[in-house]
Amino acid sequence: MFKKLELGSPAFWAVVTVAAVLSFHFVADLVWLSRYDVPPSWDFANHLKKSLDYSDLLMEGRWRELVDVDEYYPPLSRLPAALAYPLFGRQEAVAVSANFVWFVVLVGAVFALGRRLGGLGAGVAGALFAAFTPFLYNYTRFYALVVPTTAAAAAAMLALVYTDGFTRRYASLAFGAVFGLAALVKWTVVAFVLPAAVWAVFAPRGDAASRPVRLLHFGAASATAFVVACPWYLRHLFHLVNAARHTALEAVGQGDPAVFTSASFSHYISAAVYQLGIVMLAAGAVAVIYCAVRRRPGWVLLLFWILGSYIILTLIRNKDYRFTAPLLPAFAVAFGVAFASLRPRRLQIALASLAAAYALAIFFITSFGVGDLPARYVWKPLRHRLLVYDNEKPRREYWHIAAILRGVVAWERREGRRANFCVVPNVATFAGITFQYYATRDRQNANIFRPREDFPNFCDLIIAKDGDQGDDPGWKAFAKLRGDPAWFRDAYAEVARYRLDDGSTATLYRRQVRPRAAFTPRLAEISSLAGRAYPELLSDLRNVATEARAAAPQKGYFKFIRVRARAGKVAGTPVADLDVLLREVVVNPWAPYGEVQLLRLGSVSLSFKAEDEDLAGKLEDALPGLRDAAVAFDAGNLSARARYGNAPLAVTVALRDDGRKVRAYFKKASVSNVPVAAPLLWYLNTQLAPLADRERLPFGLGAVRLRGVAGGRVEVTVGDLQ
């Protein structure tokens, strides 16, 4: 960047200025963090927990497992914190301070971009604009992905500018490597870099003969990016696709505007006002217009950075103001270029003085508030939300999470096993993931669950926060339990109460063994447990016969419960001769009369018979476009044939139990009678999620067997019915 950085030269003072601003922010963040103590909420707690998981794997030398820690977010953003924990401790402040590395990368990339496109003054002005963007410096105080993602996009754009439209070979390869690393920070980076990269390839240039060379360099850069990012993305591609569908459905429920509507297109304009404030947004918008009018090659990249990625974001149903943060460096660079073009110099100095005063005033007001100063000492328009981003102010709240977890540890030591611990409700700083983070930080092993509809099944301990919790499903289920006070007193004992800073009270309960003396299990009621074991799997059971062997009926403990049905449905498919065997069953002996609550289950086994035609029909319904489907079974294998259009398809899948998980494996497949290559089958097998995981479920599945039987039927057996 600098061929020669001499002491006292303009380049030297430019670097000193940027370094001084970064040092100012780092010290201000340390002061802010020293005055802020609030448990991390949903996303923050999740990222903190994952960073601790990465750190533990690194310290234990289990490097290959790093790609499997998180199926949704790539690993690179968590590595600075993961490396800092062994040196400075496992506290949240250590992670946040380590995350400041990404802010340095962000400001440095904007400085380098501005210098490349508009000179040294443009670099300094752009870096200061980015450093004092309220939305960005606010997120340097929380462990989130906003700053890492923004920094990754800015670094990739810097590498793209140095390719000179992919006319430079080694610079293009370097861009591919940086782009691959940026994608390992977060996948949304692709939306911000790709439009500008495509324009750089196909932009008109004076030398038409360079087009093939540029395409070749772009292909080499793409291949390099793929090689860098593929270890994680190939592992989790299917999960990302499914997650995208899930988030789109969530967006509909949250009321996010539909794509191809004016509301969708204008949604992120209000985000820019929220992130920058009206003054900085106006300055950035004028600068972008200036760059568009002048249309220098490097400056046009900024337009594609902004407009191209903006259009892509409007086409995504799920919308969040944080998504557009990687656009802010583009405004900063454009501002730097436009500011450096101002003439005369006295105008530059006057505007720079006003901008510095404004930026510092906004920084202190948004970061630390105005304290107890009377309102007349603060210019009222400065406090308007359009001018001042509403940053989080330093405060302290004590939610007793560490104390509650110490109570869980005491229970585990007394009982000699891990506790199943439920958190009610799942709200902000009192969420299951928040408790999971603190448990991971303090190396505690409790199984911490989010509330579920079948709550409190499998919960040994419950922490419940009072007050109106709205539509939270766990809270609704818990409130239903407390609707019978006499029963609740018999079922749960209060361990401790904690007064929370929001005025509510959290109560820790433990499940106690004080069953009703008159409890006598009735097989007619217990037969419903077959459906409770897999409520989405078994339904419409007819001609049911039940047998059971009780070991301690007063405590609700059974060695086994067996349920046979002449007919029923498995996953919606009609079946016959259904046989379900539940082993090591514990039901709730304090449940209200006529109701059976399953508390623990050692294993489940089931077998049934189904017509080939029924299963083939289910296959055609599950995959639109298939026709002429046929399904056949042999020992442990499922073979399916169908036609998609005019192309015949065939696949054979094997089900295996490796002792911990039941997995499905593609053995062979063909399309139009052409066998699928073994490497592709291997890749598909790495993407298949397990059908069951004994480390996560409260019960295990035995071996899976499938075989054909007489009469054109198939028999599916899960577990051992002997």
Side-chain angles (χ1 to χ4, degrees):
M1 182 183 297
F2 301 107
K3 294 182 178 179
K4 193 173 183 180
L5 188 62
E6 296 180 354
L7 187 66
S9 65
F12 171 82
W13 288 115
V15 172
V16 168
T17 301
V18 175
V21 169
L22 289 171
S23 301
F24 167 80
H25 274 289
F26 186 70
V27 173
D29 283 359
L30 292 179
V31 174
W32 192 93
L33 290 171
S34 68
R35 302 171 59 184
Y36 184 86
D37 185 12
V38 178
S41 58
W42 293 306
D43 286 354
F44 302 150
N46 178 55
H47 296 317
L48 285 166
K49 180 186 180 300
K50 297 297 185 182
S51 68
L52 289 168
D53 292 338
Y54 281 113
S55 181
D56 292 339
L57 291 176
L58 286 172
M59 293 304 102
E60 295 169 10
R62 297 154 58 188
W63 294 56
R64 293 184 178 180
E65 299 179 36
L66 292 175
V67 295
D68 291 327
V69 171
D70 197 332
E71 296 178 333
Y72 191 65
Y73 292 113
L76 195 58
S77 63
R78 280 76 171 266
L79 289 185
L83 296 173
Y85 288 135
L87 299 176
F88 304 103
R90 298 165 67 88
Q91 302 302 314
E92 180 183 357
V94 173
V96 174
S97 299
N99 220 34
F100 192 83
V101 170
W102 294 108
F103 192 65
V104 174
V105 173
L106 166 60
V107 175
V110 172
F111 172 68
L113 274 168
R115 184 183 181 278
R116 178 78 175 181
L117 299 179
L120 198 59
V124 174
L128 295 182
F129 187 99
F132 284 97
T133 297
F135 189 77
L136 293 178
Y137 63 67
N138 173 67
Y139 271 99
T140 63
R141 299 154 188 172
F142 299 94
Y143 196 74
L145 299 187
V146 172
V147 175
T149 305
T150 307
M157 287 300 300
L158 174 63
L160 176 62
V161 167
Y162 271 88
T163 66
D164 287 339
F166 292 99
T167 58
R168 301 170 62 187
R169 180 197 311 169
Y170 295 112
S172 299
L173 293 175
F175 163 73
V178 174
F179 187 30
L181 291 173
L184 287 176
V185 174
K186 193 178 179 183
W187 18 262
T188 52
V189 169
V190 177
F192 296 94
V193 180
L194 193 59
V198 172
W199 180 87
V201 176
F202 296 100
R205 300 177 68 92
D207 185 8
S210 67
R211 178 69 60 81
V213 174
R214 291 154 59 191
L215 286 171
L216 180 63
H217 290 171
F218 178 73
S222 301
T224 303
F226 176 81
V227 170
V228 172
C230 72
W232 188 86
Y233 279 92
L234 288 182
R235 185 79 169 173
H236 303 294
L237 183 60
F238 283 7
H239 178 81
L240 289 176
V241 173
N242 291 331
R245 295 173 181 171
H246 177 69
T247 54
L249 292 175
E250 282 188 339
V252 174
Q254 294 170 358
D256 289 347
V259 298
F260 301 114
T261 62
S262 58
S264 177
F265 186 78
S266 62
H267 179 81
Y268 287 119
I269 295 177
S270 59
V273 178
Y274 174 75
Q275 293 164 338
L276 291 166
I278 196 68
V279 173
M280 295 188 72
L281 177 60
V286 170
V288 170
I289 294 172
Y290 172 79
C291 292
V293 171
R294 298 298 298 269
R295 296 189 62 182
R296 294 183 182 178
W299 296 5
V300 177
L301 275 179
L302 300 177
L303 302 181
F304 278 86
W305 183 357
I306 296 173
L307 296 179
S309 55
Y310 188 92
I311 292 173
I312 292 175
L313 290 175
T314 61
L315 298 179
I316 300 174
R317 183 62 187 267
N318 186 31
K319 293 177 172 60
D320 191 296
Y321 282 0
R322 292 172 295 181
F323 293 170
T324 56
L327 291 178
L328 299 178
F331 283 96
V333 175
F335 174 81
V337 169
F339 183 82
S341 303
L342 286 175
R343 295 293 183 273
R345 184 169 176 78
R346 280 184 289 185
L347 177 61
Q348 273 189 342
I349 296 174
L351 290 179
S353 301
L354 290 175
Y358 174 81
L360 289 174
I362 294 297
F363 176 84
F364 283 106
I365 292 174
T366 58
S367 299
F368 300 100
V370 294
D372 297 325
L373 290 176
R376 66 176 180 272
Y377 290 111
V378 181
W379 183 39
K380 187 175 181 180
L382 263 183
R383 293 181 285 123
H384 193 277
R385 65 181 182 87
L386 293 181
L387 295 174
V388 181
Y389 170 77
D390 188 19
N391 277 12
E392 189 84 9
K393 304 299 187 297
R395 69 184 193 278
R396 298 182 185 276
E397 293 181 1
Y398 188 48
W399 289 74
H400 300 276
I401 294 178
I404 294 169
L405 288 173
R406 285 195 294 270
V408 175
V409 171
W411 184 93
E412 290 178 331
R413 290 174 179 172
R414 184 171 60 253
E415 297 293 326
R417 63 180 179 86
R418 295 175 68 183
N420 292 327
F421 178 51
C422 285
V423 180
V424 180
N426 188 55
V427 295
T429 53
F430 203 83
I433 186 60
T434 305
F435 281 83
Q436 289 177 24
Y437 159 63
Y438 280 98
T440 303
R441 186 197 69 179
D442 298 335
R443 303 185 187 278
Q444 298 171 1
N445 296 318
N447 292 318
I448 301 175
F449 297 97
R450 290 180 57 177
R452 304 182 302 180
E453 291 293 346
D454 60 348
F455 175 85
N457 290 2
F458 315 115
C459 287
D460 300 306
L461 295 165
I462 304 169
I463 185 70
K465 179 178 179 291
D466 64 9
D468 183 11
Q469 307 301 337
D471 294 330
D472 183 79
W475 176 255
K476 285 184 176 180
F478 187 68
K480 181 180 178 181
L481 291 179
R482 293 204 300 190
D484 185 348
W487 171 85
F488 190 80
R489 280 196 305 271
D490 290 338
Y492 295 96
E494 182 178 316
V495 177
R497 288 191 179 188
Y498 305 91
R499 186 69 176 173
L500 305 180
D501 279 1
D502 66 347
S504 63
T505 300
T507 306
L508 181 63
Y509 299 95
R510 64 174 174 83
R511 196 176 63 220
Q512 58 184 349
V513 184
R514 284 197 297 169
R516 292 179 178 178
F519 173 76
T520 54
R522 297 190 303 177
L523 294 181
E525 298 169 3
I526 294 175
S527 64
S528 65
L529 288 177
R532 290 178 182 273
Y534 285 101
E536 298 179 357
L537 181 63
L538 305 176
S539 60
D540 297 342
L541 303 185
R542 297 187 296 277
N543 297 330
V544 177
T546 307
E547 61 176 305
R549 179 183 298 171
Q554 293 297 319
K555 295 183 179 180
Y557 174 54
F558 294 82
K559 292 294 291 183
F560 74 86
I561 298 174
R562 190 165 197 160
V563 179
R564 292 185 175 94
R566 293 292 299 275
K569 289 184 179 180
V570 176
T573 301
V575 301
D577 298 338
L578 179 64
D579 190 345
V580 182
L581 179 63
L582 311 174
R583 288 193 180 91
E584 303 297 328
V585 183
V586 180
V587 298
N588 188 353
W590 325 282
Y593 183 78
E595 182 177 333
V596 176
Q597 293 180 349
L598 180 64
L599 297 179
R600 198 173 306 283
L601 179 60
S603 64
V604 60
S605 306
L606 70 153
S607 69
F608 58 87
K609 296 178 181 179
E611 298 287 352
D612 284 345
E613 291 78 5
D614 292 333
L615 296 176
K618 294 291 290 185
L619 181 62
E620 293 181 2
D621 293 340
L623 300 173
L626 287 185
R627 59 187 178 88
D628 301 334
V631 180
F633 292 86
D634 57 19
N637 298 322
L638 179 151
S639 299
R641 293 182 177 276
R643 299 185 71 85
Y644 189 84
N646 294 323
L649 308 176
V651 63
T652 299
V653 178
L655 298 179
R656 297 291 184 267
D657 187 350
D658 61 9
R660 186 172 66 91
K661 299 177 181 179
V662 177
R663 291 186 178 276
Y665 296 91
F666 285 103
K667 291 185 68 175
K668 58 182 179 180
S670 65
V671 179
S672 297
N673 299 321
V674 177
V676 175
L680 180 57
L681 285 180
W682 170 85
Y683 169 66
L684 293 174
N685 286 332
T686 63
Q687 298 296 311
L688 285 179
L691 298 180
D693 188 334
R694 289 181 178 169
E695 291 182 343
R696 297 182 181 178
L697 294 179
F699 51 85
L701 291 177
V704 179
R705 298 191 302 277
L706 306 99
R707 66 183 180 88
V709 298
R713 296 172 180 268
V714 296
E715 181 175 295
V716 182
T717 302
V718 181
D720 185 2
L721 294 181
Q722 298 179 357

